[in-house]
Amino acid sequence: MSSLTILLQRACLRFALLPVPPLRAPLRPPRRPLGLPRRSAMSSSAASRLSHIVAAAGGAAGESSEPPAAAAAASGLAQEDDDLSSAMMGYRLPPKEIQDIVDAPPLPVLSFSPSKDKILFLKRRALPPLSDLAKPEEKLAGVRIDGYSNTRSRMSFYTGIGIHKLMDDGTLGPEKVVHGYPEGARINFVTWSQDGRHLSFSVRVDEEDNTSGKLRLWIADVESGEARPLFKSPEIYLNAIFDSFVWVNNSTLLVCTIPLSRGAPPQKPSVPSGPKIQSNETSNVIQVRTFQDLLKDEYDADLFDYYATSQLVLASFDGTVKPIGPPAVYTSIDPSPDDKYLMISSIHRPYSYIVPCGRFPKKVELWTVDGEFIRELCDLPLAEDIPIATSSVRKGKRSIYWRPDKPAMLYWVETQDGGDAKVEVSPRDIVYMENAEPINGEQPEILHKLDLRYAGTSWCDESLALVYESWYKTRKTRTWVISPDKKDVSPRILFDRSSEDVYSDPGSPMLRRTAMGTYVIAKVKKQDENTYILLNGMGATPEGNVPFLDLFDINTGSKERIWQSDKEKYYETVVALMSDKTDGELPLEKLKILTSKESKTENTQYYLQIWPEKKQVQITDFPHPYPQLASLYKEMIRYQRKDGVQLTATLYLPPGYDPSQDGPLPCLVWSYPGEFKSKDAAGQVRGSPNEFPGIGATSPLLWLARGFAILSGPTIPIIGEGDEEANDRYVEQLVTSAEAAAEEVVRRGVAHPDKIAVGGHSYGAFMTANLLAHAPHLFCCGIARSGAYNRTLTPFGFQNEDRTLWEATNTYVEMSPFMSANKIKKPILLIHGEQDNNSGTLTMQSDRFFNALKGHGALSRLVILPFESHGYSARESIMHVLWETDRWLQKYCLSGSSKTDSDSVADTENKTVSASGGGAPCEGPEAEGFSSMQRSLL
């Protein structure tokens, strides 16, 4: 049922990549497809080379159908001289050398068939127009909804599907285009049937008034490419607010539809029936972070029910349509591996006004595949009181999934500490399993007891599974070997290490596809008849990552390296196991894997590696996404902080630059701080000097085309060893890390000491403002995007800080650049989406920080982007962000025209840009609600 998809790199887009993790399992077994991000948010680092496999589903980001020049004219985009009037009005375009990189056409997304003999080329557009973001949306219970299409708003999409056969010699056959759907269709949720003979996907076509059309379910024959609607009735539409559809066999799908009996949406009363009241007369301790888009009143709750309620329908190729179960707010539909049962999750009232829908009461039921109710697995109450301490969880059953190696066996975990990470108890979590229909009143069986927090399971068979546990405060992570169905074999620890210690990461087990369409740990057999598993690792070393594939004896712990990346020129990774068509052990001599290969100057291509000769066959030949920067210089550099901590960064220099002849350059430093428990771990090298430099739509690397040196990702470790809290010395460690970075680029002669700018997004913006306040001698100006600057506005924790404002008042105040606004004398550019929905970075943060800066005469500028969220997606918005950034760098870094006296305020157009309408790495770890990737492996 699940398909493998390669999200290929495009220089201007952010992708949903599934990184190869350290040795730990996904909480949900990889059986069904992943969705792409429903929003096409861009981050500076997100368009790196693609080296990982995920399942196809969502869509790719849309763009204006007009050419860039026409789109610019239609949108009022302009590129004019920088004067007082033009700098304050309208959307602007950056210089052409930047535009050309951002507007480069995207490469397709690839999806392999279940048998790995065919590949889909899913075609995409680049950046969506602002008109897509401007469509009406409802913000309900942490979810943004397009009411016209009854799906998540601003959903990205594909524009076409091509099918290629993967020939025996590794080459691709001619393309067969899927046809039959309407012209201009927006395609989402592309999935393979289990036998690989059919595709299913949703189609929507915008109406003439530019409103979104509703989603219809289509199927396509893979052999002919012919597509048709699955439902004969034109009145049956998908409801894709949460789950959408899933194959239950090779000719039948279970579909979430809009109930046919649904009428018009509820109307908001013109006069309220009473005041809005919240009460805590029971004196409960309820601490929550600053979640966005919450329900505000009973009308919002009714509207949420209206859009989120689905009717489940079984639909077959022969036209049979059978509604099953009552209409409800279904959030997940999960068939058992043998396709005889359905695990159905739903949420129900009472709802909450202070937490998103991911914490609403949740019911999980077991049905037959025909919709007959069997039993209730759990009905969890409203969870407003989950403690803010990292590693805290919801009470009751959680992580309920099917065992992928069994036809119909469930497993789940239950906390023993009430979900509170601050409670000391042993065991902390217990993992259970039981048959879908217990016989003779049998009770759930304890699979394993854990003293840390459960972090997932990788299943193999009745004799082997790997169970993972971790604890954030200590960074400890353990991997247990268990024999699920052999009671006489005791669990034992396989790995016990620090999650921060990347040098000791042994890798992750590679999975193979079973006949049931699930994924389990692949066992490999050598001629010595011993059984091995394959560990796929990133291979972190002091010289950079050198990925590997090890043959690992699970019983003795011995290993043999059977593949390793070239480390002189190339960076290669193992992407997927291709020889997994049959059940049982895989003979080593028949091993076949998919790898990626790239270098500093050569973009990612994909290869088959075939044993026993380890023959390498190239599959793709994608063009360089930005040939104008093909000869850029890249170097991974190492240097030291004054307290002895080793630091790293990636230094980029423009093509053709010669330091001996051209002298020092203006330099842009772009970073994002991270917390560590040890100096040794903080000093470890992450990444490879040979990786291809991916350039996203708002990447700082774009300024290589403008002659800047770029110091990308200099490590800013905030270390709290032992019982010390890292943030108690945040400012001190931030400044010393930045000093070391600036001194290093100056020492190398590539950066002018008076022309070093600093920037960052989200927590990187917070870093930028703090550096301008506490290290003004280092930087000439700063660029801060979508940041939070006043930590008293996030009083119940932020980022990885789990103490409250009242428990760590001094830390909150000292870390807040808002409190040091009077110290900021260097020019600072603030940019923020008007509709930022990230829990820590309300748009108000930039508004108030700008007012504080302006109140002290600071040279500053605030740009609010209409309709944009935490990351920016519309072409007009992105081009304007790039124009603003380039203008700032040219004026205050390259020209060095910043002033610090009061007269400078008038010279910098110190006004808020007028914004009408509504409106990267995520700042906080507390993403709540239901992700747009419901079928995620994460």
Side-chain angles (χ1 to χ4, degrees):
M1 285 186 188
S2 175
S3 61
L4 295 175
T5 300
I6 303 176
L7 298 180
L8 292 172
Q9 170 201 326
R10 178 203 177 267
C12 316
L13 284 179
R14 177 182 183 182
F15 298 110
L17 304 185
L18 182 66
V20 175
L23 187 59
R24 54 166 286 170
L27 292 182
R28 183 171 186 165
R31 167 184 171 83
R32 299 187 290 134
L34 291 171
L36 285 178
R38 309 228 181 201
R39 300 177 183 273
S40 50
M42 311 298 159
S43 77
S44 63
S45 62
S48 62
R49 89 252 153 280
L50 178 73
S51 60
H52 310 293
I53 250 194
V54 297
E63 69 170 356
S64 170
S65 58
E66 302 170 289
S75 307
L77 288 167
Q79 188 170 9
E80 305 172 12
D81 294 334
D82 180 25
D83 57 43
L84 179 61
S85 58
S86 66
M88 298 297 289
M89 299 176 61
Y91 286 99
R92 308 295 298 277
L93 287 170
K96 187 176 184 302
E97 53 264 45
I98 291 180
Q99 286 184 59
D100 289 346
I101 297 173
V102 177
D103 278 331
L107 297 175
V109 171
L110 300 193
S111 173
F112 284 88
S113 65
S115 58
K116 310 294 194 308
D117 61 343
K118 296 181 180 68
I119 308 177
L120 298 185
F121 277 55
L122 304 174
K123 298 163 187 181
R124 309 179 279 122
R125 295 178 178 177
L127 302 176
L130 188 62
S131 57
D132 275 13
L133 274 66
K135 292 177 181 179
E137 65 180 357
E138 304 291 344
K139 303 182 180 75
L140 303 168
V143 179
R144 294 188 172 182
I145 297 171
D146 182 335
Y148 289 104
S149 64
N150 220 101
T151 186
R152 300 293 180 100
S153 59
R154 314 182 192 193
M155 193 163 68
S156 54
F157 62 93
Y158 300 118
T159 59
I161 305 173
I163 305 172
H164 292 266
K165 284 188 176 180
L166 183 60
M167 313 304 286
D168 291 339
D169 62 0
T171 60
L172 297 181
E175 182 178 67
K176 184 173 294 179
V177 176
V178 175
H179 57 279
Y181 49 79
E183 184 178 357
R186 299 186 173 199
I187 299 169
N188 291 90
F189 311 119
V190 182
T191 56
W192 294 87
S193 62
Q194 184 171 327
D195 60 10
R197 296 175 58 189
H198 292 89
L199 300 173
S200 57
F201 52 91
S202 69
V203 167
R204 58 191 164 116
V205 179
D206 282 357
E207 308 295 339
E208 292 183 359
D209 61 356
N210 199 40
T211 58
S212 303
K214 288 185 170 58
L215 278 68
R216 299 181 186 274
L217 181 56
W218 284 61
I219 56 172
D221 181 87
V222 172
E223 247 349 275
S224 66
E226 184 176 351
R228 64 175 177 86
L230 178 61
F231 297 108
K232 294 179 180 179
S233 169
E235 302 303 317
I236 301 180
Y237 299 103
L238 283 180
N239 186 337
I241 300 298
F242 294 111
D243 222 334
S244 53
F245 57 84
V246 63
W247 293 88
V248 294
N249 58 47
N250 288 320
S251 61
T252 305
L253 294 99
L254 180 59
V255 188
C256 295
T257 67
I258 298 173
L260 291 174
S261 60
R262 190 179 79 172
Q267 297 298 307
K268 187 169 186 175
S270 56
V271 177
S273 59
K276 300 175 183 179
I277 298 173
Q278 297 185 56
S279 174
N280 191 34
E281 295 179 55
T282 55
S283 301
N284 293 326
V285 176
I286 297 176
Q287 301 176 348
V288 295
R289 298 206 175 187
T290 49
F291 299 119
Q292 303 297 295
D293 300 339
L294 302 176
L295 299 178
K296 299 181 290 296
D297 50 32
E298 189 61 25
Y299 165 72
D300 273 1
D302 291 342
L303 204 59
F304 176 75
D305 277 339
Y306 176 83
Y307 287 117
T309 297
S310 294
Q311 173 63 60
L312 297 182
V313 170
L314 282 171
S316 299
F317 287 2
D318 61 6
T320 303
V321 176
K322 178 187 176 182
I324 63 172
V329 183
Y330 297 111
T331 57
S332 175
I333 49 178
D334 194 2
S336 60
D338 63 2
D339 294 328
K340 293 182 179 179
Y341 300 95
L342 298 172
M343 183 165 56
I344 305 294
S345 299
S346 61
I347 55 178
H348 60 82
R349 295 185 183 233
Y351 295 155
S352 170
Y353 297 154
I354 63 172
V355 294
C357 59
R359 295 191 180 187
F360 287 0
K362 176 183 178 181
K363 182 182 293 185
V364 183
E365 297 177 334
L366 198 63
W367 300 358
T368 67
V369 76
D370 293 323
E372 180 182 343
F373 175 82
I374 298 176
R375 64 188 177 109
E376 181 182 284
L377 298 178
C378 67
D379 190 356
L380 305 178
L382 180 65
E384 291 182 330
D385 59 348
I386 299 176
I388 63 171
T390 310
S391 300
S392 294
V393 295
R394 190 172 192 160
K395 300 174 186 175
K397 291 183 179 179
R398 68 182 197 279
S399 301
I400 310 174
Y401 301 118
W402 296 105
R403 264 185 68 169
D405 63 321
K406 293 289 185 179
M409 179 171 281
L410 297 160
Y411 71 100
W412 68 90
V413 62
E414 294 184 32
T415 180
Q416 306 301 299
D417 57 10
D420 189 347
K422 293 184 177 180
V423 173
E424 295 295 334
V425 65
S426 178
R428 190 174 291 277
D429 275 341
I430 299 179
V431 185
Y432 296 90
M433 63 180 182
E434 74 175 344
N435 290 313
E437 293 190 81
I439 302 172
N440 298 326
E442 65 182 0
Q443 296 300 306
E445 180 182 342
I446 293 178
L447 179 66
H448 195 42
K449 296 180 179 181
L450 301 166
D451 285 335
L452 307 181
R453 186 65 74 204
Y454 173 75
T457 303
S458 288
W459 295 90
C460 183
D461 53 28
E462 68 281 350
S463 64
L464 175 62
L466 301 179
V467 178
Y468 311 93
E469 61 176 339
S470 63
W471 197 249
Y472 178 77
K473 272 293 186 184
T474 60
R475 309 302 197 270
K476 180 178 282 294
T477 179
R478 292 188 189 127
T479 302
W480 290 84
V481 178
I482 63 171
S483 297
D485 301 328
K486 295 185 176 182
K487 308 306 177 213
D488 57 335
V489 180
S490 299
R492 60 185 174 87
I493 293 178
L494 183 64
F495 302 116
D496 188 349
R497 49 183 291 272
S498 168
S499 60
E500 289 183 338
D501 182 10
V502 294
Y503 292 169
S504 69
D505 187 352
S508 301
M510 295 208 71
L511 307 180
R512 65 167 179 84
R513 190 174 185 274
T514 69
M516 296 184 294
T518 59
Y519 284 84
V520 297
I521 297 173
K523 282 186 173 181
V524 177
K525 181 171 60 177
K526 287 178 65 178
Q527 292 180 350
D528 61 10
E529 298 302 320
N530 289 343
T531 299
Y532 302 84
I533 66 173
L534 296 168
L535 293 183
N536 179 17
M538 295 307 295
T541 73
E543 288 71 45
N545 289 355
V546 184
F548 62 83
L549 187 65
D550 280 351
L551 201 60
F552 184 80
D553 189 319
I554 201 73
N555 295 315
T556 66
S558 63
K559 58 186 177 182
E560 174 189 350
R561 188 141 299 176
I562 61 172
W563 179 91
Q564 183 168 294
S565 169
D566 173 87
K567 58 184 178 182
E568 300 304 322
K569 178 181 179 182
Y570 290 101
Y571 177 72
E572 301 170 281
T573 64
V574 176
V575 181
L577 183 64
M578 301 294 283
S579 50
D580 64 346
K581 298 179 184 178
T582 58
D583 287 344
E585 297 178 351
L586 302 174
L588 179 60
E589 63 271 15
K590 293 186 178 180
L591 187 64
K592 185 189 295 183
I593 59 174
L594 181 71
T595 62
S596 67
K597 185 177 183 178
E598 63 197 83
S599 72
K600 297 176 184 178
T601 57
E602 299 171 44
N603 54 303
T604 305
Q605 305 294 348
Y606 294 88
Y607 296 78
L608 286 178
Q609 303 272 353
I610 305 171
W611 268 251
E613 297 87 2
K614 298 186 182 178
K615 178 184 175 184
Q616 187 178 86
V617 181
Q618 184 171 345
I619 296 178
T620 61
D621 187 18
F622 296 116
H624 198 292
Y626 22 89
Q628 59 271 56
L629 293 179
S631 60
L632 61 80
Y633 175 85
K634 175 187 175 182
E635 180 185 357
M636 182 177 285
I637 63 174
R638 301 196 68 181
Y639 49 98
Q640 193 174 84
R641 202 163 75 178
K642 64 183 181 181
D643 61 358
V645 176
Q646 291 291 323
L647 305 177
T648 60
T650 305
L651 175 64
Y652 294 92
L653 300 173
Y657 169 71
D658 184 342
S660 62
Q661 296 184 13
D662 302 327
L665 297 171
C667 179
L668 174 58
V669 176
W670 200 271
S671 193
Y672 192 95
E675 292 87 0
F676 291 88
K677 288 301 294 182
S678 77
K679 292 181 179 179
D680 288 342
Q684 291 183 354
V685 176
R686 293 162 173 83
S688 167
N690 296 325
E691 287 181 87
F692 182 72
I695 301 181
T698 55
S699 169
L701 300 188
L702 289 166
W703 276 270
L704 290 167
R706 296 286 281 164
F708 277 69
I710 308 296
L711 193 66
S712 178
T715 48
I716 311 284
I718 310 300
I719 304 167
E721 293 188 303
D723 295 331
E724 181 187 19
E725 294 288 346
N727 284 336
D728 288 346
R729 293 196 301 118
Y730 173 85
V731 171
E732 172 194 339
Q733 297 188 69
L734 179 73
V735 171
T736 56
S737 297
E739 283 177 340
E743 289 169 0
E744 180 64 17
V745 290
V746 171
R747 184 191 67 79
R748 288 171 170 262
V750 297
H752 192 290
D754 297 330
K755 297 182 179 182
I756 302 177
V758 63
H761 183 96
S762 195
Y763 207 51
F766 176 73
M767 168 205 76
T768 297
N770 265 309
L771 286 173
L772 293 188
H774 302 291
H777 59 290
L778 296 177
F779 304 106
C780 59
C781 64
I783 298 143
R785 301 175 184 165
S786 299
Y789 309 103
N790 183 352
R791 285 305 168 196
T792 68
L793 297 178
T794 55
F796 291 109
F798 58 90
Q799 199 71 1
N800 292 315
E801 176 60 67
D802 56 13
R803 296 171 296 175
T804 70
L805 168 64
W806 298 272
E807 292 171 324
T809 305
N810 289 341
T811 297
Y812 273 66
V813 171
E814 290 169 5
M815 286 183 70
S816 298
F818 179 87
M819 302 300 180
S820 300
N822 60 318
K823 298 179 182 178
I824 296 179
K825 306 300 181 183
K826 295 295 178 69
I828 183 169
L829 171 64
L830 305 176
I831 302 175
H832 216 120
E834 191 174 40
Q835 297 186 23
D836 193 330
N837 64 344
N838 186 50
S839 62
T841 54
L842 294 76
T843 307
M844 173 181 65
Q845 289 271 7
S846 286
D847 286 327
R848 293 189 175 181
F849 187 41
F850 177 69
N851 287 335
L853 293 167
K854 189 168 56 173
H856 290 89
L859 198 163
S860 53
R861 180 177 175 91
L862 172 62
V863 179
I864 300 295
L865 301 170
F867 304 113
E868 294 290 353
S869 185
H870 189 57
Y872 321 135
S873 58
R875 183 176 185 273
E876 294 91 329
S877 302
I878 286 172
M879 290 298 181
H880 190 82
V881 166
L882 299 177
W883 177 83
E884 291 280 359
T885 304
D886 188 71
R887 172 185 176 271
W888 208 252
L889 292 173
Q890 296 295 322
K891 190 169 186 179
Y892 300 116
C893 180
L894 188 62
S895 302
S897 61
S898 64
K899 302 176 183 179
T900 57
D901 57 29
S902 58
D903 294 336
S904 66
V905 178
D907 296 336
T908 55
E909 308 89 49
N910 212 349
K911 302 176 184 177
T912 305
V913 174
S914 174
S916 59
C922 184
E923 192 216 27
E926 66 284 346
E928 285 287 342
F930 291 86
S931 164
S932 59
M933 302 194 303
Q934 283 89 31
R935 299 163 180 170
S936 175
L937 301 183
L938 300 180

